């Protein structure tokens, strides 16, 4: 009897494990905070940038693969410095649980970034989690940036904003 109960319990666990659904992560357009001329001055290789954004999408999807989260949409915002350091912010509604926020940020930081000749390149990609609808918000604005914009001289200068919350060491 105990053996039969153990078998039924094990089978139940396998069935429950199989019922866990994968989180659907969808990506849409890329938003550049700097002009095309600025990107050319920083000598951005568009092929490298394109590969980086595709790999980023794959890594985020992997990080969320077995997640359990509420549907939401927004942006993943990435800054790449000329010293190959990367910073990441999420601008999602509703905000992701801190565990998934951390997993996404760390997955992106582990990637080898594209080359930046000088300064910082900042871009964002629209992201939707478990919903086919992407955000209608025209410009990404992570929470950390809102306070930073009030402290910098030019709140429209994305490099100043990013450096104020992510200083070079």
């Amino acid at each position: 009897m105990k053996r039969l109960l153990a078998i039924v319990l094990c089978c139940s666990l396998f069935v429950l494990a199989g019922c866990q659904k994968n989180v659907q992560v969808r990506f849409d357009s890329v938003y550049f905070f700097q002009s095309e001329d600025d990107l050319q001055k920083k000598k951005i290789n568009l092929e490298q940038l394109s590969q980086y954004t595709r790999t980023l999408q794959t890594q985020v999807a992997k990080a969320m693969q077995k997640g359990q989260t509420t549907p939401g949409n927004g942006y993943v915002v990435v800054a790449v410095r000329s010293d190959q350091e990367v910073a990441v912010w999420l601008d999602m509604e509703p905000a992701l649980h801190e565990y998934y926020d951390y997993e996404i940020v760390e997955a992106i930081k582990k990637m080898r970034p594209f080359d930046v000749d000088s300064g910082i390149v900042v871009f964002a990609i629209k992201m939707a989690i478990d919903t086919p609808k992407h955000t209608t918000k025209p410009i990404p604005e992570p929470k950390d940036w809102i306070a930073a914009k009030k402290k910098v001289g030019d709140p429209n200068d994305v490099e100043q904003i990013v450096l104020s919350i992510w200083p070079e060491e």
Side-chain angles (χ1 to χ4, degrees), residues 6-55:
I7 291 172
V8 169
L9 184 59
C10 285
C11 289
S12 298
L13 290 175
F14 284 126
V15 169
L16 288 175
C19 289
Q20 184 178 10
K21 69 177 185 105
N22 286 342
V23 171
Q24 289 283 324
V25 182
R26 293 176 174 83
F27 297 93
D28 195 41
S29 57
V30 177
Y31 178 87
F32 289 97
F33 288 90
Q34 291 122 318
S35 70
E36 189 174 344
D37 286 342
D38 288 338
L39 295 176
Q40 286 177 348
K41 288 175 189 171
K42 295 172 188 300
K43 299 181 182 171
I44 302 303
N45 179 321
L46 295 180
E47 183 60 35
Q48 273 188 353
L49 176 60
S50 176
Q51 283 183 308
Y52 182 79
T53 59
R54 285 192 303 266
T55 304

Short mmCIF file of all heavy atoms in Angstrom, two decimals, residues 6-55:
data_model
loop_
_atom_site.label_atom_id
_atom_site.label_comp_id
_atom_site.label_asym_id
_atom_site.label_seq_id
_atom_site.Cartn_x
_atom_site.Cartn_y
_atom_site.Cartn_z
N ALA A 6 3.37 5.82 -2.85
CA ALA A 6 4.59 6.49 -3.30
C ALA A 6 4.61 6.64 -4.82
O ALA A 6 5.00 7.69 -5.35
CB ALA A 6 5.81 5.71 -2.82
N ILE A 7 4.16 5.61 -5.53
CA ILE A 7 4.13 5.67 -6.99
C ILE A 7 3.14 6.73 -7.45
O ILE A 7 3.42 7.53 -8.34
CB ILE A 7 3.79 4.27 -7.58
CG1 ILE A 7 4.97 3.32 -7.35
CG2 ILE A 7 3.47 4.38 -9.07
CD1 ILE A 7 4.67 1.88 -7.70
N VAL A 8 1.96 6.76 -6.83
CA VAL A 8 0.94 7.75 -7.19
C VAL A 8 1.47 9.16 -6.92
O VAL A 8 1.29 10.08 -7.73
CB VAL A 8 -0.37 7.49 -6.42
CG1 VAL A 8 -1.33 8.66 -6.59
CG2 VAL A 8 -1.01 6.20 -6.89
N LEU A 9 2.14 9.35 -5.79
CA LEU A 9 2.70 10.66 -5.44
C LEU A 9 3.76 11.08 -6.46
O LEU A 9 3.75 12.23 -6.93
CB LEU A 9 3.29 10.62 -4.03
CG LEU A 9 3.84 11.93 -3.49
CD1 LEU A 9 2.74 12.99 -3.45
CD2 LEU A 9 4.40 11.74 -2.11
N CYS A 10 4.64 10.17 -6.84
CA CYS A 10 5.68 10.48 -7.83
C CYS A 10 5.06 10.84 -9.17
O CYS A 10 5.48 11.80 -9.83
CB CYS A 10 6.63 9.30 -7.99
SG CYS A 10 7.79 9.13 -6.63
N CYS A 11 4.06 10.08 -9.60
CA CYS A 11 3.39 10.36 -10.87
C CYS A 11 2.72 11.74 -10.82
O CYS A 11 2.75 12.48 -11.79
CB CYS A 11 2.36 9.27 -11.19
SG CYS A 11 3.12 7.70 -11.66
N SER A 12 2.12 12.06 -9.70
CA SER A 12 1.47 13.36 -9.54
C SER A 12 2.48 14.49 -9.68
O SER A 12 2.20 15.51 -10.32
CB SER A 12 0.78 13.47 -8.18
OG SER A 12 -0.23 12.50 -8.08
N LEU A 13 3.65 14.33 -9.09
CA LEU A 13 4.69 15.36 -9.19
C LEU A 13 5.15 15.53 -10.63
O LEU A 13 5.38 16.65 -11.09
CB LEU A 13 5.87 15.02 -8.28
CG LEU A 13 5.59 15.15 -6.78
CD1 LEU A 13 6.80 14.66 -5.98
CD2 LEU A 13 5.27 16.58 -6.41
N PHE A 14 5.32 14.42 -11.36
CA PHE A 14 5.72 14.51 -12.77
C PHE A 14 4.65 15.22 -13.60
O PHE A 14 4.97 16.03 -14.46
CB PHE A 14 6.00 13.12 -13.35
CG PHE A 14 7.31 12.54 -12.92
CD1 PHE A 14 7.37 11.30 -12.33
CD2 PHE A 14 8.50 13.24 -13.09
CE1 PHE A 14 8.58 10.75 -11.92
CE2 PHE A 14 9.71 12.71 -12.68
CZ PHE A 14 9.75 11.46 -12.09
N VAL A 15 3.40 14.93 -13.34
CA VAL A 15 2.31 15.57 -14.06
C VAL A 15 2.29 17.06 -13.76
O VAL A 15 2.17 17.89 -14.66
CB VAL A 15 0.95 14.91 -13.73
CG1 VAL A 15 -0.20 15.73 -14.26
CG2 VAL A 15 0.90 13.49 -14.27
N LEU A 16 2.43 17.42 -12.50
CA LEU A 16 2.44 18.84 -12.12
C LEU A 16 3.62 19.57 -12.73
O LEU A 16 3.51 20.71 -13.17
CB LEU A 16 2.44 19.00 -10.60
CG LEU A 16 1.13 18.64 -9.89
CD1 LEU A 16 1.32 18.74 -8.38
CD2 LEU A 16 0.00 19.53 -10.35
N ALA A 17 4.78 18.92 -12.75
CA ALA A 17 5.96 19.54 -13.35
C ALA A 17 5.74 19.77 -14.83
O ALA A 17 6.18 20.77 -15.40
CB ALA A 17 7.19 18.68 -13.11
N GLY A 18 5.06 18.87 -15.49
CA GLY A 18 4.79 19.01 -16.91
C GLY A 18 3.74 20.07 -17.21
O GLY A 18 3.66 20.56 -18.33
N CYS A 19 2.94 20.44 -16.24
CA CYS A 19 1.88 21.43 -16.45
C CYS A 19 2.41 22.86 -16.40
O CYS A 19 1.72 23.78 -16.79
CB CYS A 19 0.79 21.28 -15.40
SG CYS A 19 -0.20 19.80 -15.63
N GLN A 20 3.62 23.03 -15.89
CA GLN A 20 4.17 24.38 -15.79
C GLN A 20 4.37 24.94 -17.20
O GLN A 20 5.03 24.34 -18.03
CB GLN A 20 5.49 24.36 -15.04
CG GLN A 20 6.06 25.73 -14.81
CD GLN A 20 7.35 25.66 -14.02
OE1 GLN A 20 7.89 24.60 -13.81
NE2 GLN A 20 7.83 26.80 -13.62
N LYS A 21 3.76 26.07 -17.47
CA LYS A 21 3.85 26.63 -18.82
C LYS A 21 5.08 27.52 -18.95
O LYS A 21 5.56 28.08 -17.97
CB LYS A 21 2.60 27.42 -19.15
CG LYS A 21 2.44 28.70 -18.35
CD LYS A 21 1.22 29.44 -18.80
CE LYS A 21 1.14 30.77 -18.08
NZ LYS A 21 1.51 31.88 -18.89
N ASN A 22 5.55 27.60 -20.17
CA ASN A 22 6.66 28.51 -20.43
C ASN A 22 6.11 29.92 -20.61
O ASN A 22 5.06 30.12 -21.21
CB ASN A 22 7.39 28.10 -21.70
CG ASN A 22 8.25 26.88 -21.50
OD1 ASN A 22 8.56 26.51 -20.38
ND2 ASN A 22 8.61 26.23 -22.59
N VAL A 23 6.84 30.88 -20.08
CA VAL A 23 6.46 32.27 -20.23
C VAL A 23 6.79 32.71 -21.65
O VAL A 23 7.88 32.45 -22.15
CB VAL A 23 7.22 33.14 -19.19
CG1 VAL A 23 7.00 34.61 -19.46
CG2 VAL A 23 6.79 32.77 -17.79
N GLN A 24 5.85 33.36 -22.31
CA GLN A 24 6.05 33.87 -23.66
C GLN A 24 6.63 35.29 -23.57
O GLN A 24 6.00 36.18 -23.01
CB GLN A 24 4.73 33.93 -24.42
CG GLN A 24 4.18 32.58 -24.80
CD GLN A 24 4.92 32.02 -26.00
OE1 GLN A 24 5.30 32.75 -26.90
NE2 GLN A 24 5.12 30.72 -25.99
N VAL A 25 7.83 35.48 -24.11
CA VAL A 25 8.45 36.80 -24.15
C VAL A 25 8.52 37.23 -25.61
O VAL A 25 9.04 36.50 -26.44
CB VAL A 25 9.86 36.78 -23.52
CG1 VAL A 25 10.46 38.18 -23.54
CG2 VAL A 25 9.82 36.24 -22.11
N ARG A 26 7.96 38.38 -25.89
CA ARG A 26 7.95 38.90 -27.26
C ARG A 26 8.69 40.24 -27.29
O ARG A 26 8.60 41.03 -26.36
CB ARG A 26 6.51 39.11 -27.73
CG ARG A 26 5.74 37.84 -27.89
CD ARG A 26 4.28 38.16 -28.27
NE ARG A 26 3.54 36.96 -28.56
CZ ARG A 26 2.98 36.19 -27.65
NH1 ARG A 26 3.08 36.49 -26.37
NH2 ARG A 26 2.32 35.10 -27.99
N PHE A 27 9.36 40.48 -28.39
CA PHE A 27 10.10 41.73 -28.56
C PHE A 27 9.60 42.45 -29.80
O PHE A 27 9.11 41.83 -30.74
CB PHE A 27 11.60 41.45 -28.69
CG PHE A 27 12.17 40.82 -27.45
CD1 PHE A 27 12.26 39.44 -27.34
CD2 PHE A 27 12.59 41.59 -26.39
CE1 PHE A 27 12.77 38.84 -26.20
CE2 PHE A 27 13.10 41.00 -25.24
CZ PHE A 27 13.18 39.63 -25.15
N ASP A 28 9.74 43.75 -29.79
CA ASP A 28 9.29 44.55 -30.92
C ASP A 28 10.40 45.52 -31.29
O ASP A 28 11.57 45.16 -31.30
CB ASP A 28 7.98 45.26 -30.54
CG ASP A 28 7.24 45.82 -31.75
OD1 ASP A 28 7.20 45.13 -32.79
OD2 ASP A 28 6.70 46.93 -31.65
N SER A 29 10.08 46.74 -31.51
CA SER A 29 11.02 47.72 -32.04
C SER A 29 12.12 48.11 -31.06
O SER A 29 11.99 48.00 -29.85
CB SER A 29 10.26 48.97 -32.48
OG SER A 29 9.52 49.48 -31.39
N VAL A 30 13.20 48.60 -31.65
CA VAL A 30 14.35 49.11 -30.88
C VAL A 30 14.25 50.63 -30.89
O VAL A 30 13.99 51.25 -31.92
CB VAL A 30 15.68 48.66 -31.51
CG1 VAL A 30 16.86 49.26 -30.76
CG2 VAL A 30 15.78 47.14 -31.52
N TYR A 31 14.43 51.22 -29.71
CA TYR A 31 14.41 52.68 -29.56
C TYR A 31 15.83 53.14 -29.26
O TYR A 31 16.45 52.66 -28.32
CB TYR A 31 13.47 53.08 -28.41
CG TYR A 31 13.43 54.57 -28.17
CD1 TYR A 31 12.54 55.36 -28.87
CD2 TYR A 31 14.29 55.17 -27.26
CE1 TYR A 31 12.49 56.73 -28.66
CE2 TYR A 31 14.25 56.54 -27.04
CZ TYR A 31 13.36 57.32 -27.74
OH TYR A 31 13.33 58.67 -27.54
N PHE A 32 16.35 54.06 -30.07
CA PHE A 32 17.69 54.61 -29.84
C PHE A 32 17.55 55.98 -29.19
O PHE A 32 16.81 56.83 -29.69
CB PHE A 32 18.47 54.72 -31.15
CG PHE A 32 18.88 53.39 -31.70
CD1 PHE A 32 18.14 52.77 -32.69
CD2 PHE A 32 19.99 52.73 -31.20
CE1 PHE A 32 18.49 51.53 -33.18
CE2 PHE A 32 20.36 51.49 -31.68
CZ PHE A 32 19.61 50.89 -32.68
N PHE A 33 18.25 56.18 -28.11
CA PHE A 33 18.22 57.46 -27.41
C PHE A 33 19.11 58.50 -28.09
O PHE A 33 18.96 59.68 -27.85
CB PHE A 33 18.67 57.29 -25.95
CG PHE A 33 17.66 56.59 -25.10
CD1 PHE A 33 17.67 55.21 -24.99
CD2 PHE A 33 16.68 57.28 -24.42
CE1 PHE A 33 16.74 54.55 -24.20
CE2 PHE A 33 15.74 56.64 -23.63
CZ PHE A 33 15.77 55.26 -23.52
N GLN A 34 20.05 58.04 -28.90
CA GLN A 34 20.96 58.94 -29.60
C GLN A 34 20.64 58.91 -31.10
O GLN A 34 20.10 57.93 -31.61
CB GLN A 34 22.41 58.53 -29.36
CG GLN A 34 22.84 58.76 -27.92
CD GLN A 34 23.33 57.48 -27.26
OE1 GLN A 34 22.74 56.43 -27.43
NE2 GLN A 34 24.40 57.57 -26.49
N SER A 35 21.03 59.98 -31.76
CA SER A 35 20.77 60.08 -33.20
C SER A 35 21.71 59.16 -33.97
O SER A 35 22.72 58.67 -33.45
CB SER A 35 20.98 61.53 -33.66
OG SER A 35 22.37 61.85 -33.60
N GLU A 36 21.38 58.96 -35.23
CA GLU A 36 22.23 58.13 -36.10
C GLU A 36 23.62 58.74 -36.23
O GLU A 36 24.62 58.03 -36.25
CB GLU A 36 21.57 57.99 -37.47
CG GLU A 36 22.26 56.98 -38.36
CD GLU A 36 21.53 56.73 -39.66
OE1 GLU A 36 20.35 57.10 -39.78
OE2 GLU A 36 22.15 56.16 -40.57
N ASP A 37 23.69 60.09 -36.29
CA ASP A 37 24.99 60.76 -36.36
C ASP A 37 25.83 60.48 -35.12
O ASP A 37 27.04 60.24 -35.21
CB ASP A 37 24.81 62.28 -36.52
CG ASP A 37 24.35 62.67 -37.92
OD1 ASP A 37 24.48 61.84 -38.85
OD2 ASP A 37 23.84 63.79 -38.07
N ASP A 38 25.18 60.50 -33.94
CA ASP A 38 25.90 60.21 -32.69
C ASP A 38 26.44 58.79 -32.70
O ASP A 38 27.57 58.53 -32.27
CB ASP A 38 25.00 60.40 -31.48
CG ASP A 38 24.70 61.86 -31.19
OD1 ASP A 38 25.49 62.73 -31.63
OD2 ASP A 38 23.68 62.14 -30.52
N LEU A 39 25.63 57.85 -33.19
CA LEU A 39 26.07 56.45 -33.25
C LEU A 39 27.25 56.30 -34.21
O LEU A 39 28.18 55.54 -33.94
CB LEU A 39 24.92 55.54 -33.66
CG LEU A 39 23.75 55.46 -32.68
CD1 LEU A 39 22.63 54.59 -33.25
CD2 LEU A 39 24.19 54.93 -31.34
N GLN A 40 27.23 57.02 -35.33
CA GLN A 40 28.34 56.96 -36.27
C GLN A 40 29.61 57.54 -35.67
O GLN A 40 30.70 57.01 -35.88
CB GLN A 40 27.98 57.69 -37.57
CG GLN A 40 26.99 56.91 -38.42
CD GLN A 40 26.57 57.67 -39.67
OE1 GLN A 40 26.85 58.86 -39.82
NE2 GLN A 40 25.90 56.97 -40.57
N LYS A 41 29.48 58.62 -34.88
CA LYS A 41 30.64 59.22 -34.22
C LYS A 41 31.27 58.26 -33.22
O LYS A 41 32.47 58.28 -32.98
CB LYS A 41 30.25 60.52 -33.51
CG LYS A 41 29.97 61.67 -34.44
CD LYS A 41 29.48 62.88 -33.68
CE LYS A 41 29.00 63.95 -34.64
NZ LYS A 41 28.33 65.06 -33.95
N LYS A 42 30.44 57.40 -32.63
CA LYS A 42 30.92 56.42 -31.67
C LYS A 42 31.42 55.14 -32.37
O LYS A 42 31.79 54.18 -31.72
CB LYS A 42 29.82 56.08 -30.66
CG LYS A 42 29.43 57.26 -29.79
CD LYS A 42 28.22 56.94 -28.96
CE LYS A 42 27.68 58.15 -28.22
NZ LYS A 42 28.59 58.78 -27.29
N LYS A 43 31.37 55.17 -33.70
CA LYS A 43 31.85 54.08 -34.57
C LYS A 43 31.18 52.75 -34.23
O LYS A 43 31.83 51.72 -34.07
CB LYS A 43 33.36 53.96 -34.51
CG LYS A 43 34.06 55.21 -35.00
CD LYS A 43 35.55 55.08 -34.95
CE LYS A 43 36.18 56.38 -35.42
NZ LYS A 43 37.60 56.42 -35.20
N ILE A 44 29.87 52.79 -34.16
CA ILE A 44 29.10 51.58 -33.87
C ILE A 44 28.99 50.74 -35.13
O ILE A 44 28.58 51.23 -36.18
CB ILE A 44 27.68 51.95 -33.36
CG1 ILE A 44 27.77 52.81 -32.11
CG2 ILE A 44 26.85 50.70 -33.12
CD1 ILE A 44 28.53 52.20 -30.98
N ASN A 45 29.36 49.48 -35.01
CA ASN A 45 29.22 48.53 -36.10
C ASN A 45 27.79 48.00 -36.03
O ASN A 45 27.43 47.31 -35.08
CB ASN A 45 30.24 47.41 -35.93
CG ASN A 45 30.14 46.36 -37.01
OD1 ASN A 45 29.06 45.98 -37.44
ND2 ASN A 45 31.30 45.87 -37.43
N LEU A 46 27.00 48.33 -37.03
CA LEU A 46 25.58 47.96 -37.01
C LEU A 46 25.36 46.45 -37.03
O LEU A 46 24.39 45.96 -36.45
CB LEU A 46 24.83 48.64 -38.16
CG LEU A 46 24.77 50.17 -38.07
CD1 LEU A 46 24.01 50.74 -39.26
CD2 LEU A 46 24.13 50.61 -36.77
N GLU A 47 26.25 45.72 -37.66
CA GLU A 47 26.14 44.26 -37.67
C GLU A 47 26.36 43.71 -36.25
O GLU A 47 25.62 42.85 -35.80
CB GLU A 47 27.15 43.64 -38.64
CG GLU A 47 27.05 42.14 -38.75
CD GLU A 47 25.69 41.64 -39.25
OE1 GLU A 47 25.08 42.31 -40.09
OE2 GLU A 47 25.25 40.58 -38.78
N GLN A 48 27.37 44.24 -35.55
CA GLN A 48 27.60 43.83 -34.15
C GLN A 48 26.40 44.17 -33.27
O GLN A 48 25.97 43.37 -32.45
CB GLN A 48 28.82 44.56 -33.57
CG GLN A 48 30.13 43.91 -33.81
CD GLN A 48 31.23 44.65 -33.01
OE1 GLN A 48 31.01 45.69 -32.39
NE2 GLN A 48 32.42 44.08 -33.04
N LEU A 49 25.87 45.36 -33.45
CA LEU A 49 24.72 45.81 -32.67
C LEU A 49 23.51 44.92 -32.94
O LEU A 49 22.81 44.51 -32.01
CB LEU A 49 24.39 47.27 -32.99
CG LEU A 49 23.14 47.86 -32.33
CD1 LEU A 49 23.25 47.82 -30.81
CD2 LEU A 49 22.91 49.27 -32.81
N SER A 50 23.30 44.59 -34.20
CA SER A 50 22.19 43.72 -34.57
C SER A 50 22.33 42.33 -33.94
O SER A 50 21.37 41.79 -33.38
CB SER A 50 22.13 43.60 -36.10
OG SER A 50 21.14 42.70 -36.49
N GLN A 51 23.53 41.77 -34.00
CA GLN A 51 23.77 40.45 -33.38
C GLN A 51 23.56 40.53 -31.87
O GLN A 51 23.00 39.63 -31.26
CB GLN A 51 25.18 39.97 -33.68
CG GLN A 51 25.36 39.41 -35.06
CD GLN A 51 26.77 38.88 -35.26
OE1 GLN A 51 27.74 39.59 -35.01
NE2 GLN A 51 26.87 37.65 -35.70
N TYR A 52 24.02 41.61 -31.27
CA TYR A 52 23.88 41.79 -29.82
C TYR A 52 22.41 41.82 -29.42
O TYR A 52 22.01 41.17 -28.46
CB TYR A 52 24.59 43.08 -29.39
CG TYR A 52 24.55 43.33 -27.91
CD1 TYR A 52 25.42 42.67 -27.05
CD2 TYR A 52 23.63 44.22 -27.35
CE1 TYR A 52 25.39 42.90 -25.68
CE2 TYR A 52 23.59 44.44 -25.99
CZ TYR A 52 24.47 43.78 -25.15
OH TYR A 52 24.43 44.00 -23.80
N THR A 53 21.59 42.57 -30.16
CA THR A 53 20.18 42.67 -29.80
C THR A 53 19.46 41.33 -29.99
O THR A 53 18.59 40.99 -29.20
CB THR A 53 19.45 43.77 -30.59
OG1 THR A 53 19.54 43.51 -31.99
CG2 THR A 53 20.02 45.14 -30.28
N ARG A 54 19.85 40.57 -31.00
CA ARG A 54 19.24 39.24 -31.19
C ARG A 54 19.63 38.30 -30.05
O ARG A 54 18.80 37.55 -29.52
CB ARG A 54 19.63 38.65 -32.55
CG ARG A 54 18.91 39.30 -33.71
CD ARG A 54 19.09 38.53 -35.01
NE ARG A 54 20.46 38.33 -35.40
CZ ARG A 54 21.15 39.10 -36.23
NH1 ARG A 54 20.57 40.16 -36.76
NH2 ARG A 54 22.39 38.84 -36.54
N THR A 55 20.91 38.32 -29.68
CA THR A 55 21.37 37.47 -28.58
C THR A 55 20.71 37.89 -27.27
O THR A 55 20.33 37.05 -26.46
CB THR A 55 22.91 37.54 -28.46
OG1 THR A 55 23.48 37.17 -29.71
CG2 THR A 55 23.42 36.62 -27.38
#
